[in-house]
Every structure is written in C-alpha cells, then in structure tokens.
Amino acid sequence: MSFSVAVIGASGYAGGEVVRFIDDHPEFDLVHLGAHSKQGGLLSEVHPHLRGGDRPLGSNDLDDIGEVDIAFLALPHGVSWKIGHELAERGTKVVDLGSDYRLDTNERYVDAYGADHPLPDELSGWTYGLPELFDVAGADRVAAPGCYPTAVLLAAAPLYRAGVIGPGVIVADCMSGVSGAGRGVKEALMYGAIDEGVSAYKVTEHRHRPEIEMALGMSGPGEPTVVFTPHLVPMQRGELATVTMPLRDELSTSEARDILRDAYEGRPFVEVIDQPPQTRWAVSSNRAFVTAFVDHHAGVVIAQGAIDNLVKGAAGQGVQNANLMVGLDETVGLPISGWMP
Amino acid sequence: MSFSVAVIGASGYAGGEVVRFIDDHPEFDLVHLGAHSKQGGLLSEVHPHLRGGDRPLGSNDLDDIGEVDIAFLALPHGVSWKIGHELAERGTKVVDLGSDYRLDTNERYVDAYGADHPLPDELSGWTYGLPELFDVAGADRVAAPGCYPTAVLLAAAPLYRAGVIGPGVIVADCMSGVSGAGRGVKEALMYGAIDEGVSAYKVTEHRHRPEIEMALGMSGPGEPTVVFTPHLVPMQRGELATVTMPLRDELSTSEARDILRDAYEGRPFVEVIDQPPQTRWAVSSNRAFVTAFVDHHAGVVIAQGAIDNLVKGAAGQGVQNANLMVGLDETVGLPISGWMP
Amino acid sequence: MSFSVAVIGASGYAGGEVVRFIDDHPEFDLVHLGAHSKQGGLLSEVHPHLRGGDRPLGSNDLDDIGEVDIAFLALPHGVSWKIGHELAERGTKVVDLGSDYRLDTNERYVDAYGADHPLPDELSGWTYGLPELFDVAGADRVAAPGCYPTAVLLAAAPLYRAGVIGPGVIVADCMSGVSGAGRGVKEALMYGAIDEGVSAYKVTEHRHRPEIEMALGMSGPGEPTVVFTPHLVPMQRGELATVTMPLRDELSTSEARDILRDAYEGRPFVEVIDQPPQTRWAVSSNRAFVTAFVDHHAGVVIAQGAIDNLVKGAAGQGVQNANLMVGLDETVGLPISGWMP
Amino acid sequence: MSFSVAVIGASGYAGGEVVRFIDDHPEFDLVHLGAHSKQGGLLSEVHPHLRGGDRPLGSNDLDDIGEVDIAFLALPHGVSWKIGHELAERGTKVVDLGSDYRLDTNERYVDAYGADHPLPDELSGWTYGLPELFDVAGADRVAAPGCYPTAVLLAAAPLYRAGVIGPGVIVADCMSGVSGAGRGVKEALMYGAIDEGVSAYKVTEHRHRPEIEMALGMSGPGEPTVVFTPHLVPMQRGELATVTMPLRDELSTSEARDILRDAYEGRPFVEVIDQPPQTRWAVSSNRAFVTAFVDHHAGVVIAQGAIDNLVKGAAGQGVQNANLMVGLDETVGLPISGWMP
C-alpha cells in the first residue's frame, strides 16, 4: 500500500527535512514539491544536501498540487490556513507543520495573535498532533505542535496530568538552535550576530505560550499559568526545555521519573533518562529525551525535554502523525538513532 | 603611586585575564606569576595570546610570592582559603576570585559544600566584592562573587531590595559559555561533547544557589528561595541570567527598569537597556547589561543580566575590587567597551 | 541473505557510526559490539544518541568476537593489524577502518611510520577500499582509506589518471572537523582550545601523505610528489581538500569537470558540481562533492573534494566496501542525502 | 599633542574596531563618526558593545566631516577613492582601510577589478601600509593592505626577499573567519549557511591575488606567480595563511625561521614561533604569529601567518599606520595581548 504525498513549502528548513524523510519512506511516494519564491528552480538549489537534486520545484497552488493522499504544509504563520482547508475539503489528509490550526478556540487565537482567526469555526476540526500525548490515529486534519511546545509538553504534561503539580506559575525557560527561527534572511540571524552569544527574545510575548497552556490544560486539572521565555543559542539544531513547576505535595525524583516512564511506556520516540539531556543526543532523529528533578529546597520539580526542533519539533513529528493518520506504525521511515558528534 | 601585585593561579583562564588587565594597568605592577603544575614554565606556554610570554611561572607558595601590596587568587575551590588567610595576615590586600570566602556563615557553607569551613571564624572578615551592590572601598580581604551570582544579582537585587518582589519561588535559569567550567581537561568539556548542543548540569545542587540567596537577602526584606539551574551553551565566553520573580503588586515594565536605572546611576560598568541583552555585547569587557520585563499574564517580573563570565564574572571584577580597595577609581585599567563580532 | 557482523572498537566515533549504519542495514545483522576500556558497559553510555542503548559492550578479543561473516575494525593505529589478520585467517571478511593495512609496501610503511610493519608480507593481501577508484568487489580483506586521502583522491585522482597533470609538486591543503582527531581526551581537543580558531598540525609529517602519493600513483603515470598540510577547523564533522596541481597543457575548467564526470558516471556517492563544495552538504551522508577550477594565470588546476570524515571518510565507506565484498549493491543501508543546517 | 580624528564608515565591523581603538588612544580625539544608511542613529544601535553608545552617527559626506587631522575610511570597494582623494587634497592625513588605492598601477587594477581606476594617476601617491615590510613614516596617504595579503605577506615576504624562493608557483591557501566578509546581510552569511561547514569561494578570481603578487614583488627578485584560494571557516575572527613556496636551494626549517626572526627583530606586533600558529592567539590584538616549515621531501617551504582579520588585518593596522604617519610610536593605543579562550 502506497500513498502519494505533496510537500508544500519544500524550500524551507522544515520542508527539506520532510523531503528527506519521505524519500526514505517505504510507503510514501513524493509526487509534488511546492515552493513560493523558489518555484521553477531545482531542489538542489535550495537543498544541495538532498539526493535527487534535479527534481523541479513546482508551486504551492491548489491546482498545481494535484490529487494526493497526503499533504505536508511547511509554510509561515498565516499562510497555511487557506490551502490547508482547501486540500482537506477535497479529501487530502493534511499535516500542517505551521501554527494556523494549533489553537482550539478563536479566543485563544486572539490571545496569541491579536486578531481573529480567518476560519474560526474550523479550529475544532483539527487534531493537535503530539502522538505521545494525544490520539491522532485516523485523523484527517492534523496540526503538528510548535517546536517549543513539543519539548515543554513531553517533559511536563505527564506530571501535570498526574495531579502532582500545585497552583502557581510554571516557568518554561527554553533554548533553541537557530534553525528554529526559519530560513528567512535577517540581520539578527547572520553568523556575526549569533555565533558566540546567547540572548532571549520575544520575552513575555511569544505565541507558543498560549499553545503550551492549552495543551497542558487539555487533559489536566484546570488550566495552568505559564511564563515562557525562549532563548537563541549558537547551534544549528536542538531545543531544550527547562520547566520549573510547583509541587502539590512531597514527591521524590524517582517518583517523578516513574510518572514519565509510565506515560511513555512502549513509545519508541521518547526516552526517559536519569540525567540532564544534551540536545545533541536527539539531533537528526525523531527522538526526545526527558527527565525530571525534584528540588526539595524550593518545593518544585524541574522537568526537562530535549528534541531536534526540525525533526521531533517539526518534520519528523509531521511524518509520525501521517503514519498514524493512514494506519501505519508511527516509526515507519523515521530515524530513531541520532548522531553525534 | 604604584602597587606591587601577585597573581596566584596564573595559568588558568581567570588568572590569564587578571594578567592581561594588570599588564595594562597604570598603577599596578605585576611582580609574581604563580602556578601549580605549570610552575617552572613560561607564560607563553599557557597563555600564548599574552604579551611578555617569556616571563617565568613561579610557584603558588607563600614564601615564593614575596611581599606584595595586592594578591589575586585564581585557584580552584578549597585551595585558596589557606594561602588567602596567610597573605592577608601578613598585610597583603587579597582578592580571592575563588569560592572559599564568599559565604557569610559556616551554616551556609555547609549548605553549599556539605562540610564545615576549615576556618569558620574568618568568614565574617571577608567582604563580598560586588561593588555595584555592596561597599568595598578600603576593604583588605575581598571575596569576589561567582560568575552566575554576579549575573543574577546585578539583574535581580535592585528589584528585590526595592520591595516589589512577592513571596514565592525565584527561578534563575542561567546559561554560561564553556570557559566558566575552567581549564581542566575533562571528557565532558571536549569539543565533540560541547559543540552544537546545550544541556543543564548540577540541577538542584549547584553551589551558587546558597550564594545567590545570601546576597539577595543581605539587604532585602527576608531571605528568598531560589531555584537555580545552570546550562552550558556552545560558546567560549558569556553568561546570561534569566530570573523570573513573583511580583508583590502591579508594576509596569518601565517602572521595573527605572528601579534598575536608579540602582546603577553613575556606575560605568552596568548598563540598563530596553531589550533582551546579548551576551556577546559584554564579552571581553567588564560591563554588564541588565533589563527587566513585567509579565502581566502571570504576575511576574523577568530580570536579565549578561556578562563575560571571565571578566565581570571573575578577573575584571577582581581588578575593579582591587582598585576600590586601594582608593583608585573603579575603572582604572579595565575595558568598558567589548568587541563583537 | 543475511550476514552476521561484529564491530570492533564500537565505542569511538567511527565505531558508533558503523553501528548506526548496520542497525539500519537490511542484510547485516549486528551480533557483537567490541570495546576496550569501555568493555562491560552499555552502548548508551558511550553513544547516547543510538537506539538500542541497552546492548552490552563486549571485548575486542578474538575469542569473544565469535564466528561472524564480516568484521569492522575501528581501532587506533597499530592495534588492528593483529586482530585483523587473525579474523581474516579464520575466514571472516574484514574491513579495517584503521591505517595498519593501507600502504602497499613495507618501504612506504617505514616512510609513514618510521618503523617496519609487523607483518610486512601481508600488506599485499589487502585491497585499498576506495570503491569509486579501485575495484573492491569480492575482496576478503579491505583497508579503507584515511579520511584525508579519500577527500583528496576523489577530487584529484581522475585528473591525475587522465594525464593532464604535469610534473611538479601537488599541494593538498585540507581542512577537517574535530571528530577526525578521534575521541581521546586531550587538552588540544578541549572546546576552549578549538572553538573560534583554526590551525595547521603535523606540518610536513602527517602519515596520510605517503598514502595519498601511493594511491595517486597506483594507476597514474609515474608517482607524484605531494605536500600535504592538514588544518583543524572548529566544526564537528566534514573535510575539505583543496588540491592545487600543475597542468601539463592548456585545459579549460569545463574540460576538467568533464574528466571528473566521466570518472564518476553511475556512481551514486560522488557528485560533480560547478561551484566550491560546502562540507555541510555532505555531512551525515556517504556522499562526496567534487569539482575543479583551472587557474589560467598560474597554469594549475584546483580540485576540491568535500566529505563527512566519519562517513565517506570512515564508517560509511567501510559499509560500502562490505556491501561490495559480499555482492550487494554498494548503497545498501547507507544515506545518500545528508542534512543541513 | 593631540590629533582630531574622523571615522568614515563607522557602522561596519572594521569601522567599529577603529572606534574602539581611537576611544582608548591617548593622542587621538574622535570628533566625527560617519555612516551611510545608519546615519542619524546612535552608535549603540550599530555597536552595542562600545562605550559612549549615545554618540550620534553623522554622514560620510565631505562637508559634514569637517576639518580633521586624520581620517579613517572603512568603506566598501569603490566607495573610498573619491572621499579619500578629497580629504587628502585638503590636507587631512588619510588611512584607507578599503581597496581603492592599494594597487600601484592601473594595469594591475584592471587585472584585479576588470575596469580602469577612476583616478589612475593618483595610485602612485598612496603608500602601501604594511609597516613591518614597507616604510610608512610620515606618509600622508596610506592604503592599508587587505586582510589576506597581510597574513600572507607577513609570513612569506621575508623569505621571498631573502632570495631563497625558487621559480614556480606559490600556493596561498587561506582561511578566514566570517567577519572578513563584512556586515552586509546576505543569505550566504546566515548562521545556517556558515556554522559547521567550510568552503572555498572566489576560486581563481579573488581580487587579493594581484595585491599579493604586487607586494611580494615590490622588493623581491622578479615578480611571483601566486595561486590564492580563500576559504570561509565557521568562526567570527581570525585569518590563517598557509603559503607553500618552492625552494631555490636546500634550506633548513631553523634557517627559514631565522630569516623571519631577522625581519621582525624589534617589531612588537609580529611574533615568530616554532609551531603552527592558532588564529585564536591573535584574536582581538594587533599581533601576528608567523612561522615556517621546510618540507625536504618536496623541496618547498610552508610559511604560515595568523592574524585577527579585523585588527592587524584592518582596523588595528590602520591605527598603527596613523601612529607612524604622525610620528608616534606604532604601538600607541593598540592591544598587543589578545585573549582566549
């Protein structure tokens, strides 16, 4: 059984990773590569590292895409809602790697973006695609989570769900490699502006905060209040979430890790470990490393999650979702081993 | 007026920076370079970047040091207390860049190190050398703060002192360049283990946590509870503190920054800015950049401080302290401009 | 048809990459992981990024390895000759990633290492395993080339063979990522010694020079004289060879590239391009990028080759050799696409 | 005695470094900061690391600059010839860090740039400002060398002058940090395009090749033929030249280094060493490290030079020139010690 696949937005970093995974996927057949400004060029011009570089880049337009079984959308915010809706309406299974359909209500969308969603009634029709935490099997429309929410939720959600987190603010300080900022040409992303320095950005106003609060609250008791501060660190890939949460009652570090182990039993892409994870261990694979430490002095638990922002945080998780949407094993075509150094 | 100076532990990273600054200092005259395992070699063998590379490395022993006006100790933890005490007893002004005399009581020392201080009665005789927050003028024995406490305190202490911080846990997530881990040859500090990855370390158990709590509480109302999680990021230099603190009452971002501006008025080494600082801006200078953001959604203030861990976080602050100890202007011999890229 | 495989020296960088490729190989079955000082531990302790981390590390001893169809040796220089010989004698197909059997004569071995080979008569029994240039099909004992020779030869050998290179010195200036120096813990490989700097090493005395001269001369007219200067650059992976060779007669850049294209027609792992290759394009794949530029001003051709030193320069090329030794297609189990950023 | 100074093009990397040095210079008084697109802003907006960030950026126009004793031009190629000529004509001493007046004849200019110089008769009126090799004292118009020529010439010129280099091609393979490519916002200079990769660029066509040939030949026997291949390596600063030159007769490594030591005796900014230099040792200082190795196998000498491309390769050398132009010691206001890590 084989499925025809289109990648819309194939020229960006996440789109390139989707192409890489689909090329190695035994059941997916890549039939359309869509691009916007790079349309008309060759794949090798935007992704010289990929094989089959002589494949042409078509457009991101509905008519040009043709009938496909599955479409991956790797588009900037605000661009995927229309094409995603149209593709879904004509029967294509859609995995949106972008942010347009991640939030569950228009109210939350306004909180994150300061404006109404263009199709607010459609929001409820999309599944939030974090397969280790939410059921995706058989879904037709999946919005894959943001990279930061993926790292935060994999570490924190099992603890939150287990009821061990008390009232009070949850502090999620996160660190990302630069590819998380996309491939756009900006002064702030020049080598001379990034190398050998670290800084926070969008302090108090990053749009992933409402998404984290939504997803933590989706099955937990009540809705949490999260302070989310992202930092850009000088590396290409990798994302680390350090999530400090108030404890309701006494809890030991090993009890905290047992909660994580129970949550991910049998899930090949999440590994619970007994030390702080290094992002490098996850890079280039779809694997996440999570752990937790209880700080008895302060009465908090510090949960940590490490992923590759472009793989488990984007393209890999997208393919994992697609596998589940069509009834395949979630691991098909995806790397579990990473590589280092 | 000129002062004779010895640098004890000159072969490490911090010691090398002290040498660099003293070499350019118009009033300080470097007369002894002390080393342990590198004793007997030349300066150029350990610091090929420094001028005067043909100067010999003597020992760290009291007899070998001779009579000097000022001694800088750049030694590992547990090594400086003896030589520091002996030098001070014979009238040398001592700046200890290490951790042996930073904490004010034996009780706190036990909290940090799990054992009694070898000279507990001497602890009260040392001044905590963060000149922008505590008075150092004329002191004879100064323990310069740790690099992380320097970054955290410069950002957070003025807010804490001002009484705007409410009860509850303070979360200090910090990121450091690799030179902060010292020059020892360890597998964890190999290029292949550090490059392109980020991780936390010593979660819940880093010895700088008691130091931060002590210094925050030294002039503030009550004593705070701090969760301190340090992270190692792939860069040589620079340290960023992101400190999330509960607010007592409503406060605006501009009010928070005004508190910082008032605290540092007239101090040339601390600059209050209106955006998240990049550590790179501080690298190679003795300057710190601080700012604050109020998160009204969560009722917290996020204070940030960026420094060069080897300069304002160690050697530069040490020279700044020495200047004040002998009555000079605090800036003599120290760089205010950094460099980038 | 399935082949049992042992990896000897699995705890190093190259050994870890062999494990990664064998784990994904449809015809190879990994039955023994050998290690020296890490023996008795788990795979996850040395390679936390690999799946199946709970596999135990056995020894590198002949008795412990057992009967296997294929053995990969990823051992330091001077360690593989004995075990390699013994394994081969009992019928195991051996791929030696180390340097012990690369040179064809004892004389050349003495030139490179300054001492006699311990089994000089065996040297002629090993095939030099650079499959795009030399025939490996069906061989039982293969010595895979060094990383630098691979990059240099893929760029330069077709031009040398074609007879367009004139008399005179060939200058091979090469740049390598740090993983090429191995996983040993050394002061020179600390992050603080590598990051943000570049330097040459082993100038005039690197042992890869005789290997390059041997392989260039193996099918070309006469034997060339090569100046080989390796440089260490601050990156984990990747190797670039810039090879400046005197031209015999006039030649155009496009003619030079045509010679390269003819040489690699039908070979999936070598791509001839029209611009200077970026090492990043090859990283994590078994692909090499090569090109050539004619400098009419000086009468030279500048050939360039870019590879991942641990893949096409070691582990990947080893698996490629093994595929050919047992009659499989050379690409089985190996990545052609790399990844960036 | 104090000199008024203008920095034209203060918003770029080299311009920022000139400002840093002038701010610390006891005899130079910075009275005008000129910028083009950043005109009207504050210094802190383009160089947040520099002190005095509230200084305004004026224009690069002649009228706006006013009467100054010395002007530093840090402008792109093709922009400085006009303003440089006009300033010089009205009596200002001019140090041009750009390339407009480096070449000695229009013929050579055409070789490098493919077009006539706009003021070909003026070329002979400018001194080539590499003070360790050519006399600059008292000059009024100085064109500071390019960064690559500085590194190549400091290593190779004394050997060439000494007559030990034989006929044949000189191969200069050079590696530069990214700041050498300037501060312009380009896709090729994004972090995601640079980090963890190395590549050559402008192979056979870089404009520094004619400059190197000119300067080598200026006092040597005949004019050399140079193959110059620059490479971009993932670091902010630093430049390494590896120059392979045919030897005329037998020469030992120590004889080669003695030639270098004789050439630089008494010059504080050039250090001759006995090992391959690491660029990091020179970073942030005006110092160069040079060495040489004789390869008896091939009959060549490999000379190496390491500098900070923005300091000895641009801004620092510019200030060194200015010092000599007005009769000061060449070291005034310039750092000899660098810093690492």
Side-chain angles (χ1 to χ4, degrees), chain B residues 49 195-196 337-339 341, chain D residues 49 51 195-196 237 287 338-339:
Chain B
H49 60 294
D195 182 49
E196 294 293 302
S337 286
W339 61 269
Chain D
H49 59 295
R51 64 182 163 96
D195 182 49
E196 294 291 303
R237 302 262 195 131
R287 198 154 49 155
W339 62 269

Side-chain angles (χ1 to χ4, degrees), chain B residues 14 17-18 21 28 72 95-97 102 128-134 136 142-151 153-154 211 267 269-270 285-288 307-325 330 334-335:
Chain B
E17 284 293 82
V18 176
F21 297 137
F28 288 171
F72 292 89
V95 179
D96 186 3
L97 302 181
R102 284 180 196 152
Y128 189 69
L130 214 174
E132 285 83 3
L133 295 175
F134 306 104
V136 177
V142 165
C147 49
Y148 286 121
T150 297
L153 293 166
L154 287 174
E211 183 183 337
R267 303 310 293 252
F269 289 130
V270 183
S285 90
N286 200 48
R287 198 154 50 157
I307 60 169
D308 182 324
N309 51 296
L310 290 182
V311 186
K312 184 60 179 168
Q317 186 148 267
V319 173
Q320 182 185 1
N321 276 303
N323 284 337
L324 293 167
M325 291 161 77
E330 64 183 337
L334 287 169

Side-chain angles (χ1 to χ4, degrees), chain C:
Chain C
M1 187 170 63
S2 179
F3 302 88
S4 61
V5 169
V7 178
I8 313 305
S11 61
Y13 288 150
E17 285 292 83
V18 176
V19 172
R20 182 166 72 100
F21 296 138
I22 302 297
D23 278 346
D24 286 340
H25 197 291
E27 309 292 343
F28 289 172
D29 183 23
L30 184 49
V31 299
H32 182 80
L33 295 167
H36 181 63
S37 64
K38 303 294 185 181
Q39 179 189 348
L42 296 177
L43 185 63
S44 63
E45 294 164 19
V46 291
H47 297 303
H49 60 295
L50 294 179
R51 64 182 163 96
D54 53 352
R55 283 176 281 181
L57 297 175
S59 83
N60 289 342
D61 301 336
L62 189 67
D63 292 346
D64 196 35
I65 295 170
E67 297 286 339
V68 292
D69 297 318
I70 307 168
F72 293 89
L73 310 183
L75 299 166
H77 170 68
V79 178
S80 61
W81 67 266
K82 189 160 186 293
I83 185 77
H85 181 66
E86 291 168 345
L87 283 164
E89 286 295 302
R90 76 180 197 196
T92 296
K93 287 190 180 258
V94 179
V95 180
D96 186 3
L97 302 181
S99 57
D100 287 7
Y101 289 109
R102 285 181 196 152
L103 301 179
D104 53 357
T105 64
N106 189 53
E107 186 185 4
R108 208 182 300 270
Y109 189 89
V110 172
D111 178 15
Y113 299 103
D116 285 322
H117 192 280
L119 298 173
D121 295 343
E122 296 297 324
L123 287 173
S124 61
W126 290 74
T127 298
Y128 188 70
L130 213 174
E132 284 83 3
L133 296 175
F134 306 104
D135 189 17
V136 178
D140 290 327
R141 305 177 187 199
V142 166
C147 49
Y148 286 122
T150 297
V152 170
L153 293 165
L154 287 173
L159 295 160
Y160 192 77
R161 286 184 174 184
V164 301
I165 305 305
V169 168
I170 292 173
V171 178
D173 281 320
C174 297
M175 283 142 266
S176 177
V178 179
S179 60
R183 200 172 182 174
V185 179
K186 299 172 190 168
E187 184 165 6
L189 301 180
M190 296 277 290
Y191 189 81
I194 292 288
D195 182 50
E196 294 291 304
V198 61
S199 63
Y201 64 100
K202 293 192 181 169
V203 181
T204 77
E205 57 191 27
H206 197 286
R207 65 194 190 197
H208 282 171
R209 192 263 304 157
E211 181 183 338
I212 295 167
E213 289 182 339
M214 172 194 79
L216 266 188
M218 268 164 67
S219 60
E223 180 147 318
T225 299
V226 172
V227 179
F228 170 59
T229 307
H231 300 76
L232 207 53
V233 302
M235 58 189 196
Q236 303 263 35
R237 302 262 196 131
E239 210 154 82
L240 180 68
T242 297
V243 191
T244 303
M245 300 185 283
L247 281 173
R248 183 172 301 279
D249 302 299
E250 275 294 302
L251 188 79
S252 71
T253 290
S254 65
E255 286 169 335
R257 290 176 188 166
D258 283 346
I259 291 171
L260 294 173
R261 287 203 170 85
D262 288 349
Y264 298 119
E265 194 176 354
R267 303 309 293 250
F269 288 130
V270 183
E271 184 153 349
V272 183
I273 60 176
D274 294 319
Q275 59 185 307
Q278 232 267 10
T279 53
R280 186 79 189 169
W281 304 340
V283 164
S284 96
S285 91
N286 200 48
R287 199 155 48 158
F289 292 85
V290 300
T291 192
F293 295 83
V294 169
D295 182 327
H296 298 286
H297 171 74
V300 302
V301 59
I302 301 159
Q304 292 199 298
I307 60 169
D308 182 324
N309 52 297
L310 289 182
V311 185
K312 183 62 178 167
Q317 187 148 264
V319 172
Q320 182 185 2
N321 276 304
N323 284 337
L324 293 165
M325 291 162 78
V326 300
L328 296 173
D329 185 87
E330 65 184 338
T331 62
V332 179
L334 286 169
I336 301 180
S337 286
W339 61 270
M340 58 169 279

Side-chain angles (χ1 to χ4, degrees), chain B residues 4 9 18 20 51 56 66 85 94 99 103 135 148 153 158 184 232 270:
Chain B
S4 61
V18 176
R20 183 165 71 99
R51 63 183 165 96
H85 181 66
V94 179
S99 56
L103 301 179
D135 188 18
Y148 286 121
L153 293 166
L232 208 53
V270 183

